[in-house]
Amino acid sequence: MSVTRTGEAPADADPRRWWGLVIIALAQLMVVLDATIVNIALPSAQRDLGMSDGNRQWVITAYTLAFGGLLLLGGRIADLVGRKRTFIVGLIGFAAASALGGAATSSGMLFGARALQGAFAAVLAPSALSLLTTTFTDPKERGKAFGIYGALAGSGSAIGFIVGGLLTEYLNWRWCLYVNIPIAIVAVFGAFALLHDRPGRTGARLDVPGALLGCGGLVAIVYGFSEAQSRGWTDGLVLGLFAAGVVLLATFVWWQTRAPMPLLPLHIVKDRNRAGCFLTMGLATIGMFGLFLFMTYYLQVVLDYSPVKTGLAFLPLTVAIIIGSTQISARLLNHAPPRTLMVPGMILAAGGMALFTRMTVHSSYTTEILPALLLMGLGMGLTFMPVFATATAGVAPQDSGVTSATVNTAQQVGGSIGTALLNTIATSSSAAYITAHLHNPAQKALILKEGVVHGYTIAIWWAVGIMLLAGLVAGLMVTAKAPKHGARAQDPVPEPVL
């Protein structure tokens, strides 16, 4: 192992590693923004393909179910086969699935293409993060690299709204899928030229029972939350899915203690700091993804914004996330314990969410919406970067893929749960408000809008509480100290004595 002075790159570092970061970041941005880029385009796609109101949600859910449910498997495949190889396969598959979706002639074809996108994203995302982990090992450089990566992970969803609005208004909804093809082509050529990786573990076997149990449990739970939006929380199918998910995940944990080559080595999640990061990420994205859904409909339906104007309205949030991640967290993480960034970050984000509860049918964007977006963006930027860096620090190289997948799983499952949970709360609150206040038919249009806004504010208060809970989890569980100068990030932490 080469020895360097503090702040210097290791002697064996790849001189083209920063160009490699560009390729990794490009792929990660494509994966994250694709979870939201079709949101603004959904009304156009629904009209074009004749989707029913009950089925249109599957354009979003098919992607999140496949992505969240298969991430652990994708992470382990990256460890076994090799990260660069799975990274390239994931890019090619994602581009092909995007082309299929853009050419869809029926709703079923589009749903299937979105599920394929999610499956290839589940291979691509952990490969990207593990390549980043093994490429940047000097603490100072690693902080900068994770700052860029964290900014993309946190802002990619908002960027998706901007790009989706522009493509939908000036081209058509199909380009929200076609746009992935040129991005993937550039990333594939860049990966061949710039990225390096150790070969996969020859002779290793995949934990098939673990894959079925773990992925099945996650899919059941995410599917249950998705169905709760339309069926209600006490519906037999919803309760059955939750019960099946819990049983499958409990069996998965039991099996991982006995499997010869476990899909998720339990020492990864038994580490207190890592577990705290996973929980913080999941709770933070519950509120964040719910807000994206509400603000999209609020700006378009209540304030009558166009798709482009709606997308651009999210731009300050994106800028704030990037500043919080690259200019604040990345500069401070090497000198401060991670929780001293994560806890204030969650408090700031919760404060921004609380400001959204003041919105009305006549709110001003400049004085009421913009300050809330900026506060929330700074808070998320402060949080995401130390979460990614701390969760993947000190992991043995053979476990870096599955650890990266677990971080992404927490983000994706949290976002799926948040969208379903908060939307159900908002819908029921709106219905109760409209029933109680709709007495004069002449005021129906105004009451309907007021009811929608009332439902959003109630759900947002729940999101505020969840984000404060995320800050509490980070404060109590993430006890890691500031990275030591000169420590190599890829040195494995010893497995705990059980």
Side-chain angles (χ1 to χ4, degrees):
M1 181 180 296
S2 57
V3 179
T4 63
R5 293 190 298 271
T6 301
E8 292 184 355
D12 58 351
D14 185 351
R16 298 182 299 173
R17 61 193 176 281
W18 292 103
W19 285 108
L21 173 63
V22 172
I23 299 303
I24 295 170
L26 193 64
Q28 175 65 14
L29 176 63
M30 183 178 67
V31 167
V32 176
L33 69 82
D34 222 70
T36 56
I37 193 172
V38 298
N39 281 41
I40 293 178
L42 187 53
S44 299
Q46 182 180 359
R47 290 192 300 269
D48 196 12
L49 299 180
M51 295 180 221
S52 68
D53 289 343
N55 286 336
R56 65 185 179 186
Q57 65 163 330
W58 285 103
V59 176
I60 308 299
T61 308
Y63 182 84
T64 57
L65 275 175
F67 193 7
L70 296 173
L71 266 169
L72 283 175
L73 180 61
R76 185 48 83 192
I77 290 174
D79 285 335
L80 298 181
V81 178
R83 292 106 185 172
K84 179 178 177 179
R85 186 178 300 172
T86 53
F87 183 80
I88 292 171
V89 169
L91 282 169
I92 295 172
F94 198 92
S98 299
L100 181 65
T105 56
S106 66
S107 58
M109 185 176 175
L110 180 58
F111 300 158
R114 290 288 287 167
L116 275 176
Q117 279 186 305
F120 282 108
V123 174
L124 181 58
S127 301
L129 185 52
S130 57
L131 280 170
L132 180 65
T133 302
T134 55
T135 299
F136 293 92
T137 56
D138 175 74
K140 188 175 181 179
E141 285 195 346
R142 195 167 187 264
K144 293 178 182 178
F146 270 95
I148 296 170
Y149 185 90
L152 289 173
S155 63
S157 297
I159 294 172
F161 284 115
I162 298 170
V163 176
L166 290 168
L167 292 175
T168 300
E169 188 154 330
Y170 294 111
L171 294 172
N172 61 53
W173 67 268
R174 297 180 184 276
W175 280 96
C176 291
L177 294 162
Y178 286 146
V179 71
N180 293 318
I181 299 173
I183 296 175
I185 290 172
V186 172
V188 166
F189 282 107
F192 275 117
L194 299 168
L195 298 181
H196 305 282
D197 186 32
R198 301 179 180 87
R201 295 165 61 189
T202 56
R205 293 179 301 166
L206 193 64
D207 176 18
V208 176
L212 294 174
L213 290 168
C215 297
L218 286 174
V219 168
I221 289 176
V222 175
Y223 184 31
F225 276 106
S226 299
E227 287 298 301
Q229 178 179 340
S230 58
R231 294 174 177 268
W233 295 103
T234 58
D235 180 78
L237 175 63
V238 173
L239 294 176
L241 286 167
F242 287 152
V246 170
V247 170
L248 286 170
L249 289 179
T251 308
F252 169 77
V253 172
W254 169 83
W255 171 250
Q256 294 306 285
T257 64
R258 291 159 175 78
M261 293 184 179
L263 182 66
L264 176 61
L266 294 185
H267 64 263
I268 290 175
V269 293
K270 285 182 178 179
D271 178 84
R272 177 173 180 160
N273 292 296
R274 212 164 283 127
C277 287
F278 297 153
L279 283 174
T280 301
M281 174 61 81
L283 291 169
T285 51
I286 285 178
M288 185 176 181
F289 276 63
L291 178 73
F292 286 150
L293 178 69
F294 298 150
M295 290 309 299
T296 299
Y297 279 94
Y298 174 74
L299 293 172
Q300 290 196 66
V301 176
V302 178
L303 298 187
D304 296 320
Y305 280 24
S306 68
V308 169
K309 192 175 180 180
T310 299
L312 292 175
F314 283 100
L315 186 58
L317 173 68
T318 304
V319 172
I321 290 175
I322 293 173
I323 291 173
S325 183
T326 62
Q327 301 304 311
I328 302 177
S329 282
R331 295 175 183 269
L332 295 179
L333 183 61
N334 204 42
H335 309 285
R339 65 177 171 182
T340 62
L341 298 171
M342 294 162 65
V343 174
M346 282 293 90
I347 293 174
L348 267 180
M353 291 289 283
L355 290 181
F356 281 118
T357 63
R358 302 165 53 206
M359 64 186 184
T360 68
V361 294
H362 303 296
S363 289
S364 164
Y365 176 83
T366 305
T367 59
E368 297 176 68
I369 305 302
L370 180 59
L373 289 172
L374 292 174
L375 272 179
M376 186 172 175
L378 283 174
M380 285 296 183
L382 281 172
T383 303
F384 278 129
M385 186 267 172
V387 163
F388 278 115
T390 305
T392 56
V395 178
Q398 67 268 21
D399 289 329
S400 64
V402 72
T403 304
S404 304
T406 308
V407 181
N408 281 284
T409 296
Q411 182 182 25
Q412 194 63 34
V413 173
S416 301
I417 291 173
T419 301
L421 170 65
L422 297 179
N423 192 59
T424 299
I425 293 171
T427 302
S428 58
S429 299
S430 295
Y433 180 93
I434 293 169
T435 300
H437 291 80
L438 188 56
H439 305 300
N440 184 355
Q443 296 181 326
K444 182 177 180 180
L446 177 61
I447 296 298
L448 288 176
K449 283 191 174 183
E450 289 179 345
V452 168
V453 174
H454 173 78
Y456 291 167
T457 57
I458 296 299
I460 287 172
W461 275 120
W462 279 81
V464 169
I466 293 170
M467 285 191 164
L468 290 175
L469 178 60
L472 181 63
V473 168
L476 295 177
M477 293 187 66
V478 184
T479 58
K481 297 180 180 179
K484 294 181 179 179
H485 294 293
R488 293 295 295 270
Q490 69 182 27
D491 291 346
V493 291
E495 295 187 17
V497 179
L498 304 178

